[in-house]
Amino acid sequence: MMHMTFYWSRQVTLLFDSWKTDTWTSYSLTLLACLLVPAFYQYLEDLRVRIKRAASSSSLKSSSDAPIRAPLLSAKLGGAGGRFSAGRLAESVLFGVNAAIGYMIMLAIMSFNGGVFVAIVLGLAIGYLAFRSGDDDVVVDNPCACA
């Protein structure tokens, strides 16, 4: 039966029917996974922001170095910082992976297990402290990517 309120138990089904915990060992390993995955999520978000920052600074640098003969065509086809450049492609892939991980984290919280909830929130906080707390000058372009 699916719980609709928070409960505290070592018996939890997380994400898949095959991921069930019955012992303290399996529950502890599940909580460890629930701590590490959100920290990894924060790391990937930091990596995506750094790639975006590097791509935007390189496009500004390269645009001032050489004149562009066809500026509209260059921007559309992937000149420095164009729509299909390697930096934008990497940023898009990281955004998709991060979105998938974020939705999996949300579904894990919807198990309504108190330990899973606490482990995920702690993982997000630890990941933010370790990887993203120095981003005071960076404006978040996606407010949903904060959690």
Side-chain angles (χ1 to χ4, degrees):
M1 180 179 134
M2 185 173 167
H3 292 272
M4 294 310 234
T5 59
F6 277 105
Y7 69 100
W8 297 89
S9 171
R10 66 178 163 90
Q11 296 175 342
V12 62
T13 302
L14 196 67
L15 299 177
F16 308 105
D17 285 333
S18 60
W19 192 346
K20 292 183 181 190
T21 64
D22 292 326
T23 64
W24 284 108
T25 304
S26 63
Y27 185 63
S28 299
L29 290 173
T30 296
L31 293 182
L32 181 64
C34 288
L35 185 82
L36 294 176
V37 170
F40 181 67
Y41 173 86
Q42 292 290 353
Y43 167 74
L44 287 180
E45 183 62 23
D46 177 61
L47 182 63
R48 186 183 70 83
V49 168
R50 284 189 284 137
I51 288 173
K52 182 174 187 161
R53 192 179 317 149
S56 67
S57 67
S58 70
S59 69
L60 292 176
K61 182 180 170 186
S62 65
S63 66
S64 64
D65 289 346
I68 299 175
R69 293 190 179 114
L72 294 176
L73 192 59
S74 175
K76 294 284 183 190
L77 294 178
R83 182 165 293 184
F84 298 109
S85 66
R88 297 258 329 212
L89 181 64
E91 182 187 350
S92 297
V93 168
L94 279 173
F95 181 82
V97 169
N98 231 19
I101 292 172
Y103 283 121
M104 294 297 261
I105 290 170
M106 177 198 66
L107 289 172
I109 284 183
M110 289 176 63
S111 71
F112 289 103
N113 184 278
V116 170
F117 176 79
V118 170
I120 288 174
V121 171
L122 281 175
L124 285 169
I126 290 168
Y128 183 84
L129 178 67
F131 303 113
R132 301 191 61 207
S133 61
D135 290 347
D136 296 335
D137 60 334
V138 175
V139 176
V140 175
D141 61 339
N142 181 5
C144 296
C146 292

